[in-house]
Amino acid sequence: MPGIVALRKRAAEDKPLRGARIVGCTHINAQTAVLIETLSELGAQVRWSACNIYSTQNEVAAALAEAGFPIFAWRGETEEDFWWCIDRCVNAENWQPNMILDDGGDATHLMLKKYPAMFKLIKGIVEESVTGVHRLYQLSKAAKLTVPAMNVNDSVTKTKFDNLYSCKESIVDSLKRSTDVMFGGKQVVVCGYGEVGKGCCQSLKGLGCIISITEIDPICALQACMDGFRVVKLNEVVRNVDIVVTATGNKNVVTREHMEKMKNGCIVCNMGHSNTEIDVGSLRTPDLTWEKVRSQVDHILWPDGRRIILIAEGRLVNLTCSSIPSFVVSVTAATQALALIELFNAPQGRYKSDVYLLPKKMGIYY
Protein backbone atom coordinates (compact mmCIF):
# COMPACT_ATOMS: atom_id res chain seq x y z
CA MET A 1 0.00 0.00 0.00
CA PRO A 2 2.43 2.65 -1.22
CA GLY A 3 0.11 5.67 -0.87
CA ILE A 4 -0.78 5.41 2.80
CA VAL A 5 2.74 4.19 3.73
CA ALA A 6 4.28 7.19 1.95
CA LEU A 7 1.96 9.52 3.88
CA ARG A 8 2.89 7.80 7.15
CA LYS A 9 6.60 8.31 6.51
CA ARG A 10 6.14 11.91 5.41
CA ALA A 11 4.00 12.99 8.38
CA ALA A 12 5.22 10.71 11.20
CA GLU A 13 7.51 13.32 12.79
CA ASP A 14 4.92 16.10 12.76
CA LYS A 15 2.18 13.94 14.39
CA PRO A 16 -0.61 16.00 12.74
CA LEU A 17 -3.29 13.95 14.50
CA ARG A 18 -1.90 14.32 18.03
CA GLY A 19 -4.94 14.77 20.27
CA ALA A 20 -7.38 13.31 17.74
CA ARG A 21 -9.74 10.65 19.10
CA ILE A 22 -11.24 8.93 16.08
CA VAL A 23 -14.29 6.68 15.90
CA GLY A 24 -13.95 4.50 12.80
CA CYS A 25 -16.75 2.52 11.19
CA THR A 26 -15.50 0.92 7.98
CA HIS A 27 -14.81 -2.49 6.50
CA ILE A 28 -12.20 -4.25 8.64
CA ASN A 29 -9.62 -6.02 6.51
CA ALA A 30 -5.85 -6.06 6.05
CA GLN A 31 -5.89 -2.74 4.21
CA THR A 32 -7.90 -1.10 7.00
CA ALA A 33 -5.30 -2.34 9.48
CA VAL A 34 -2.62 -0.35 7.65
CA LEU A 35 -4.83 2.76 7.84
CA ILE A 36 -5.47 2.25 11.57
CA GLU A 37 -1.74 1.79 12.27
CA THR A 38 -1.00 4.92 10.22
CA LEU A 39 -3.51 7.05 12.13
CA SER A 40 -1.94 5.84 15.37
CA GLU A 41 1.54 6.65 14.07
CA LEU A 42 0.32 10.16 13.27
CA GLY A 43 -0.74 10.66 16.89
CA ALA A 44 -4.41 9.65 16.95
CA GLN A 45 -6.27 7.41 19.35
CA VAL A 46 -8.78 5.18 17.57
CA ARG A 47 -11.72 2.90 18.30
CA TRP A 48 -13.10 0.84 15.42
CA SER A 49 -16.20 -1.08 14.38
CA ALA A 50 -17.36 -2.63 11.11
CA CYS A 51 -19.75 -1.05 8.60
CA ASN A 52 -20.68 -4.42 7.09
CA ILE A 53 -21.60 -7.61 8.96
CA TYR A 54 -19.98 -9.91 6.40
CA SER A 55 -16.79 -8.13 5.28
CA THR A 56 -14.78 -8.30 8.53
CA GLN A 57 -11.64 -10.46 8.38
CA ASN A 58 -11.60 -12.03 11.83
CA GLU A 59 -7.85 -12.65 11.82
CA VAL A 60 -7.23 -8.95 11.11
CA ALA A 61 -9.64 -7.80 13.83
CA ALA A 62 -7.96 -10.18 16.30
CA ALA A 63 -4.46 -8.98 15.36
CA LEU A 64 -5.46 -5.34 15.79
CA ALA A 65 -7.04 -6.09 19.16
CA GLU A 66 -3.91 -7.94 20.25
CA ALA A 67 -1.86 -4.89 19.22
CA GLY A 68 -3.92 -2.78 21.64
CA PHE A 69 -6.50 -1.19 19.34
CA PRO A 70 -10.13 -1.32 20.59
CA ILE A 71 -11.87 -3.28 17.81
CA PHE A 72 -15.54 -4.22 17.98
CA ALA A 73 -16.36 -6.47 15.03
CA TRP A 74 -16.52 -10.04 13.80
CA ARG A 75 -17.67 -11.68 10.61
CA GLY A 76 -21.33 -12.69 10.60
CA GLU A 77 -22.71 -10.23 13.15
CA THR A 78 -26.45 -10.03 13.61
CA GLU A 79 -28.18 -6.69 13.12
CA GLU A 80 -28.34 -6.32 16.92
CA ASP A 81 -24.63 -7.15 17.22
CA PHE A 82 -23.84 -4.59 14.54
CA TRP A 83 -25.40 -1.68 16.43
CA TRP A 84 -24.00 -2.92 19.75
CA CYS A 85 -20.48 -2.85 18.29
CA ILE A 86 -20.86 0.71 17.00
CA ASP A 87 -22.30 1.78 20.34
CA ARG A 88 -19.34 0.26 22.23
CA CYS A 89 -17.00 1.97 19.80
CA VAL A 90 -18.60 5.39 20.34
CA ASN A 91 -19.41 5.25 24.03
CA ALA A 92 -16.38 4.49 26.21
CA GLU A 93 -15.56 5.54 29.75
CA ASN A 94 -13.22 8.55 30.00
CA TRP A 95 -13.04 8.84 26.21
CA GLN A 96 -14.69 11.62 24.21
CA PRO A 97 -14.36 11.19 20.41
CA ASN A 98 -13.67 14.31 18.37
CA MET A 99 -13.49 12.85 14.84
CA ILE A 100 -15.54 10.29 12.88
CA LEU A 101 -14.31 8.23 9.94
CA ASP A 102 -17.43 6.64 8.48
CA ASP A 103 -18.37 4.34 5.61
CA GLY A 104 -22.13 4.45 5.17
CA GLY A 105 -23.00 6.96 7.88
CA ASP A 106 -23.90 4.44 10.61
CA ALA A 107 -21.55 5.80 13.29
CA THR A 108 -22.69 9.34 12.50
CA HIS A 109 -26.33 8.25 12.65
CA LEU A 110 -25.98 6.46 15.98
CA MET A 111 -24.04 9.23 17.66
CA LEU A 112 -26.45 11.91 16.45
CA LYS A 113 -29.53 9.97 17.59
CA LYS A 114 -28.25 8.43 20.83
CA TYR A 115 -25.51 10.81 22.00
CA PRO A 116 -26.41 14.29 20.68
CA ALA A 117 -24.32 16.11 23.31
CA MET A 118 -21.29 14.03 22.36
CA PHE A 119 -21.96 14.66 18.67
CA LYS A 120 -21.79 18.44 19.16
CA LEU A 121 -18.17 18.09 20.35
CA ILE A 122 -17.07 16.41 17.13
CA LYS A 123 -14.62 18.52 15.08
CA GLY A 124 -15.29 16.79 11.77
CA ILE A 125 -16.68 13.79 9.90
CA VAL A 126 -15.00 12.03 6.99
CA GLU A 127 -17.36 9.92 4.86
CA GLU A 128 -16.25 7.65 2.03
CA SER A 129 -19.42 6.08 0.60
CA VAL A 130 -22.15 7.47 -1.62
CA THR A 131 -24.80 6.22 0.84
CA GLY A 132 -23.18 8.02 3.75
CA VAL A 133 -22.70 11.17 1.70
CA HIS A 134 -26.41 11.18 0.80
CA ARG A 135 -27.26 10.89 4.48
CA LEU A 136 -24.96 13.81 5.31
CA TYR A 137 -26.55 16.01 2.64
CA GLN A 138 -29.98 15.13 4.03
CA LEU A 139 -28.84 16.15 7.53
CA SER A 140 -27.39 19.39 6.16
CA LYS A 141 -30.58 20.19 4.26
CA ALA A 142 -32.63 19.61 7.42
CA ALA A 143 -30.23 21.81 9.45
CA LYS A 144 -29.37 18.84 11.70
CA LEU A 145 -25.69 18.66 10.76
CA THR A 146 -23.90 20.61 13.48
CA VAL A 147 -20.31 19.78 12.47
CA PRO A 148 -18.32 20.04 9.23
CA ALA A 149 -18.08 16.91 7.09
CA MET A 150 -15.72 15.93 4.28
CA ASN A 151 -17.12 14.04 1.29
CA VAL A 152 -14.27 11.71 0.35
CA ASN A 153 -16.44 9.57 -1.94
CA ASP A 154 -16.54 12.27 -4.62
CA SER A 155 -12.88 13.22 -4.34
CA VAL A 156 -10.97 12.66 -7.56
CA THR A 157 -8.65 10.08 -6.00
CA LYS A 158 -11.58 7.99 -4.68
CA THR A 159 -13.88 8.08 -7.70
CA LYS A 160 -11.21 7.64 -10.37
CA PHE A 161 -9.35 4.82 -8.66
CA ASP A 162 -11.25 2.99 -5.91
CA ASN A 163 -14.76 3.25 -7.36
CA LEU A 164 -13.70 2.47 -10.94
CA TYR A 165 -10.64 0.23 -10.97
CA SER A 166 -11.27 -1.63 -7.73
CA CYS A 167 -14.78 -2.61 -8.81
CA LYS A 168 -13.56 -3.44 -12.31
CA GLU A 169 -11.18 -6.03 -10.91
CA SER A 170 -13.31 -7.43 -8.09
CA ILE A 171 -16.80 -7.93 -9.60
CA VAL A 172 -15.82 -10.90 -11.74
CA ASP A 173 -13.67 -12.51 -9.04
CA SER A 174 -16.43 -12.30 -6.44
CA LEU A 175 -19.08 -13.78 -8.76
CA LYS A 176 -16.71 -16.56 -9.88
CA ARG A 177 -15.86 -17.48 -6.30
CA SER A 178 -19.46 -17.53 -5.15
CA THR A 179 -21.27 -19.06 -8.15
CA ASP A 180 -18.67 -20.49 -10.62
CA VAL A 181 -20.74 -18.88 -13.36
CA MET A 182 -19.48 -18.67 -16.95
CA PHE A 183 -19.92 -15.12 -18.22
CA GLY A 184 -19.70 -15.50 -21.99
CA GLY A 185 -23.07 -14.79 -23.62
CA LYS A 186 -24.84 -13.99 -20.36
CA GLN A 187 -27.46 -11.24 -20.38
CA VAL A 188 -26.52 -8.77 -17.61
CA VAL A 189 -28.28 -5.65 -16.37
CA VAL A 190 -26.19 -3.18 -14.33
CA CYS A 191 -28.27 -0.70 -12.35
CA GLY A 192 -26.32 2.55 -12.22
CA TYR A 193 -23.58 3.84 -14.52
CA GLY A 194 -21.49 5.88 -12.13
CA GLU A 195 -17.84 5.00 -11.57
CA VAL A 196 -18.74 1.67 -9.90
CA GLY A 197 -21.14 0.74 -12.70
CA LYS A 198 -18.60 1.72 -15.35
CA GLY A 199 -15.95 -0.50 -13.77
CA CYS A 200 -18.33 -3.46 -13.57
CA CYS A 201 -19.43 -3.03 -17.19
CA GLN A 202 -15.87 -2.85 -18.55
CA SER A 203 -14.97 -6.09 -16.79
CA LEU A 204 -18.14 -8.00 -17.69
CA LYS A 205 -18.04 -6.80 -21.31
CA GLY A 206 -14.48 -8.07 -21.63
CA LEU A 207 -15.70 -11.57 -20.74
CA GLY A 208 -18.43 -11.57 -23.37
CA CYS A 209 -21.50 -10.48 -21.41
CA ILE A 210 -24.35 -8.72 -23.20
CA ILE A 211 -24.98 -5.69 -21.00
CA SER A 212 -27.93 -3.36 -20.47
CA ILE A 213 -27.88 -0.32 -18.19
CA THR A 214 -30.52 1.34 -16.05
CA GLU A 215 -29.72 4.93 -15.08
CA ILE A 216 -31.74 7.94 -13.92
CA ASP A 217 -28.99 10.54 -14.43
CA PRO A 218 -29.18 11.76 -18.06
CA ILE A 219 -25.43 12.40 -18.35
CA CYS A 220 -24.49 8.93 -17.07
CA ALA A 221 -27.19 7.41 -19.27
CA LEU A 222 -25.73 9.17 -22.31
CA GLN A 223 -22.25 7.96 -21.36
CA ALA A 224 -23.56 4.40 -21.23
CA CYS A 225 -25.11 4.83 -24.66
CA MET A 226 -21.88 6.28 -26.09
CA ASP A 227 -19.96 3.35 -24.61
CA GLY A 228 -22.13 0.94 -26.58
CA PHE A 229 -24.62 -0.24 -23.95
CA ARG A 230 -28.41 -0.33 -24.18
CA VAL A 231 -30.05 2.01 -21.68
CA VAL A 232 -33.31 0.47 -20.50
CA LYS A 233 -35.84 0.39 -17.69
CA LEU A 234 -35.42 -2.60 -15.38
CA ASN A 235 -38.99 -3.78 -16.02
CA GLU A 236 -38.21 -4.05 -19.75
CA VAL A 237 -35.43 -6.62 -19.36
CA VAL A 238 -35.83 -8.25 -15.96
CA ARG A 239 -37.61 -11.34 -17.37
CA ASN A 240 -34.69 -12.24 -19.63
CA VAL A 241 -31.48 -11.36 -17.78
CA ASP A 242 -29.12 -13.91 -16.22
CA ILE A 243 -27.36 -11.53 -13.80
CA VAL A 244 -28.55 -8.35 -12.04
CA VAL A 245 -25.92 -6.04 -10.50
CA THR A 246 -26.91 -2.96 -8.48
CA ALA A 247 -24.47 -0.06 -8.25
CA THR A 248 -26.49 3.04 -7.37
CA GLY A 249 -26.15 3.72 -3.63
CA ASN A 250 -29.94 4.12 -3.60
CA LYS A 251 -32.63 1.96 -1.96
CA ASN A 252 -35.17 -0.52 -3.32
CA VAL A 253 -33.62 -0.46 -6.78
CA VAL A 254 -34.55 -4.13 -7.20
CA THR A 255 -37.92 -4.83 -5.57
CA ARG A 256 -39.96 -7.96 -4.85
CA GLU A 257 -42.02 -7.12 -7.94
CA HIS A 258 -38.87 -7.28 -10.09
CA MET A 259 -37.71 -10.53 -8.50
CA GLU A 260 -41.13 -12.12 -9.08
CA LYS A 261 -40.48 -11.70 -12.83
CA MET A 262 -36.88 -13.02 -12.93
CA LYS A 263 -36.06 -16.21 -14.79
CA ASN A 264 -35.07 -19.40 -13.01
CA GLY A 265 -31.44 -19.24 -11.85
CA CYS A 266 -31.02 -15.46 -12.18
CA ILE A 267 -28.10 -14.19 -10.07
CA VAL A 268 -28.79 -11.04 -8.03
CA CYS A 269 -25.96 -9.11 -6.34
CA ASN A 270 -25.04 -5.65 -5.11
CA MET A 271 -21.91 -3.57 -5.78
CA GLY A 272 -23.21 -0.34 -4.24
CA HIS A 273 -22.53 0.39 -0.58
CA SER A 274 -25.96 0.06 0.94
CA ASN A 275 -27.58 -3.33 1.53
CA THR A 276 -30.96 -1.71 0.80
CA GLU A 277 -30.48 -1.56 -2.98
CA ILE A 278 -32.02 -5.03 -3.22
CA ASP A 279 -35.23 -5.31 -1.19
CA VAL A 280 -34.14 -8.46 0.65
CA GLY A 281 -36.63 -7.89 3.47
CA SER A 282 -39.53 -8.47 1.07
CA LEU A 283 -38.21 -11.99 0.39
CA ARG A 284 -38.51 -13.10 4.01
CA THR A 285 -42.11 -14.25 3.74
CA PRO A 286 -43.72 -17.64 4.48
CA ASP A 287 -44.42 -18.39 0.81
CA LEU A 288 -40.71 -18.31 -0.13
CA THR A 289 -38.05 -20.83 0.91
CA TRP A 290 -34.46 -19.85 1.63
CA GLU A 291 -31.88 -22.51 0.85
CA LYS A 292 -28.27 -21.80 1.82
CA VAL A 293 -26.05 -23.38 -0.82
CA ARG A 294 -22.68 -22.21 0.46
CA SER A 295 -21.29 -19.30 2.43
CA GLN A 296 -22.89 -16.04 1.19
CA VAL A 297 -24.99 -17.82 -1.47
CA ASP A 298 -28.73 -18.35 -0.97
CA HIS A 299 -31.29 -19.82 -3.32
CA ILE A 300 -34.71 -18.20 -2.94
CA LEU A 301 -37.36 -20.71 -4.01
CA TRP A 302 -40.81 -19.70 -5.26
CA PRO A 303 -43.85 -21.97 -4.89
CA ASP A 304 -43.76 -22.80 -8.62
CA GLY A 305 -40.23 -24.22 -8.29
CA ARG A 306 -38.44 -21.21 -9.78
CA ARG A 307 -35.41 -19.89 -7.89
CA ILE A 308 -33.11 -16.89 -7.89
CA ILE A 309 -29.55 -16.86 -6.57
CA LEU A 310 -28.97 -14.08 -4.03
CA ILE A 311 -25.36 -13.24 -3.16
CA ALA A 312 -24.32 -11.98 0.31
CA GLU A 313 -27.94 -11.18 1.23
CA GLY A 314 -27.69 -8.03 -0.89
CA ARG A 315 -24.57 -6.65 0.77
CA LEU A 316 -21.35 -5.64 -1.00
CA VAL A 317 -20.46 -8.67 -3.09
CA ASN A 318 -16.80 -7.82 -3.70
CA LEU A 319 -15.86 -7.22 -0.07
CA THR A 320 -17.98 -10.15 1.12
CA CYS A 321 -17.03 -12.82 -1.41
CA SER A 322 -13.67 -11.62 -2.69
CA SER A 323 -11.02 -9.03 -1.93
CA ILE A 324 -10.01 -5.69 -3.42
CA PRO A 325 -6.61 -4.55 -4.73
CA SER A 326 -4.38 -3.12 -2.00
CA PHE A 327 -2.83 -0.55 -4.33
CA VAL A 328 -6.18 1.09 -5.03
CA VAL A 329 -7.23 0.94 -1.38
CA SER A 330 -3.99 2.68 -0.39
CA VAL A 331 -5.06 5.66 -2.50
CA THR A 332 -8.43 5.84 -0.72
CA ALA A 333 -6.86 5.30 2.72
CA ALA A 334 -4.39 8.13 2.13
CA THR A 335 -7.27 10.37 1.02
CA GLN A 336 -9.20 9.55 4.20
CA ALA A 337 -6.16 10.28 6.36
CA LEU A 338 -5.56 13.60 4.61
CA ALA A 339 -9.20 14.59 5.12
CA LEU A 340 -8.94 13.77 8.83
CA ILE A 341 -5.75 15.83 9.11
CA GLU A 342 -7.36 18.77 7.30
CA LEU A 343 -10.53 18.84 9.42
CA PHE A 344 -8.72 18.24 12.70
CA ASN A 345 -6.16 21.00 12.15
CA ALA A 346 -8.40 23.54 10.37
CA PRO A 347 -8.60 26.90 12.18
CA GLN A 348 -11.98 27.75 13.64
CA GLY A 349 -14.28 29.23 11.02
CA ARG A 350 -12.66 27.66 7.95
CA TYR A 351 -15.39 25.03 7.76
CA LYS A 352 -19.01 25.58 8.71
CA SER A 353 -21.56 22.89 9.57
CA ASP A 354 -21.88 21.63 6.02
CA VAL A 355 -20.56 18.97 3.63
CA TYR A 356 -17.32 19.77 1.77
CA LEU A 357 -15.38 18.13 -1.03
CA LEU A 358 -11.74 17.30 -0.38
CA PRO A 359 -9.72 19.84 -2.43
CA LYS A 360 -8.17 18.26 -5.52
CA LYS A 361 -4.73 19.65 -4.66
CA MET A 362 -4.87 17.88 -1.32
CA GLY A 363 -5.97 14.65 -2.98
CA ILE A 364 -2.88 14.54 -5.18
CA TYR A 365 -0.56 15.89 -2.43
CA TYR A 366 1.14 12.70 -1.46
Side-chain angles (χ1 to χ4, degrees), residues 265-337:
C266 181
I267 298 169
V268 185
C269 67
N270 172 40
M271 280 291 287
H273 172 82
S274 175
N275 65 319
T276 58
E277 295 204 33
I278 302 165
D279 187 10
V280 176
S282 68
L283 299 176
R284 300 189 187 277
T285 54
D287 60 319
L288 300 183
T289 304
W290 283 60
E291 183 181 280
K292 184 166 282 296
V293 180
R294 60 171 76 166
S295 177
Q296 310 305 335
V297 181
D298 291 287
H299 285 190
I300 316 299
L301 281 71
W302 263 257
D304 61 1
R306 183 177 54 87
R307 66 182 64 201
I308 65 170
I309 303 170
L310 179 65
I311 311 299
E313 296 185 18
R315 297 180 185 272
L316 266 177
V317 66
N318 58 345
L319 280 163
T320 302
C321 302
S322 178
S323 59
I324 52 179
S326 292
F327 175 81
V328 172
V329 180
S330 78
V331 176
T332 300
T335 306
Q336 290 172 311

Side-chain angles (χ1 to χ4, degrees), residues 18-262:
R18 184 184 284 112
R21 294 178 296 280
I22 302 169
V23 165
C25 184
T26 67
H27 301 283
I28 297 180
N29 48 34
Q31 294 94 338
T32 307
V34 179
L35 171 61
I36 290 172
E37 290 174 346
T38 299
L39 297 176
S40 180
E41 286 275 331
L42 300 186
Q45 298 177 37
V46 301
R47 294 173 69 85
W48 225 266
S49 60
C51 70
N52 186 302
I53 64 174
Y54 293 126
S55 65
T56 298
Q57 295 175 355
N58 285 340
E59 63 276 18
V60 173
L64 286 167
E66 190 174 341
F69 296 105
I71 306 293
F72 302 93
W74 60 90
R75 191 179 184 90
E77 299 168 3
T78 64
E79 196 76 18
E80 186 180 349
D81 294 334
F82 173 77
W83 290 109
W84 178 87
C85 287
I86 298 176
D87 187 77
R88 286 296 305 274
C89 184
V90 168
N91 186 26
E93 193 174 345
N94 300 322
W95 198 80
Q96 164 64 51
N98 54 22
M99 298 293 293
I100 299 174
L101 176 55
D102 222 347
D103 187 342
D106 293 316
T108 302
H109 173 79
L110 182 136
M111 193 182 294
L112 180 60
K113 295 291 184 183
K114 196 170 182 180
Y115 306 105
M118 185 185 294
F119 185 77
K120 289 179 181 178
L121 299 175
I122 295 292
K123 292 190 70 172
I125 300 167
V126 174
E127 174 57 59
E128 75 151 325
S129 78
V130 65
T131 306
V133 167
H134 284 162
R135 295 170 87 172
L136 286 173
Y137 281 124
Q138 287 170 355
L139 287 174
S140 178
K141 190 175 181 180
K144 294 180 180 178
L145 186 64
T146 56
V147 299
M150 195 73 79
N151 171 4
V152 167
N153 180 72
D154 294 318
S155 66
V156 64
T157 45
K158 174 75 162 57
T159 56
K160 299 302 180 187
F161 293 92
D162 195 340
N163 292 12
L164 177 63
Y165 296 111
S166 175
C167 296
K168 179 181 178 181
E169 296 201 11
S170 59
I171 177 64
V172 169
D173 184 52
S174 54
L175 285 174
K176 281 283 189 187
R177 290 189 191 214
S178 55
T179 66
D180 301 313
V181 65
M182 185 172 182
F183 289 98
K186 289 291 190 294
Q187 296 274 351
V188 179
V189 60
V190 177
C191 303
Y193 201 67
E195 298 300 331
V196 173
K198 288 181 176 72
C200 292
C201 289
Q202 288 177 20
S203 188
L204 293 167
K205 183 180 180 181
L207 290 175
C209 291
I210 303 162
I211 300 172
S212 301
I213 303 294
T214 69
E215 178 58 72
I216 62 171
D217 182 281
I219 301 301
C220 291
L222 184 57
Q223 283 183 305
C225 184
M226 299 290 282
D227 287 338
F229 302 116
R230 287 179 62 217
V231 180
V232 298
K233 291 182 178 179
L234 187 55
N235 276 325
E236 296 172 2
V237 297
V238 73
R239 294 182 186 275
N240 302 314
V241 294
D242 302 293
I243 303 172
V244 178
V245 181
T246 57
T248 67
N250 214 322
K251 63 181 180 180
N252 296 336
V253 177
V254 177
T255 64
R256 171 71 181 261
E257 183 184 351
H258 293 128
M259 291 181 275
E260 293 275 5
K261 299 175 183 175
M262 290 177 183

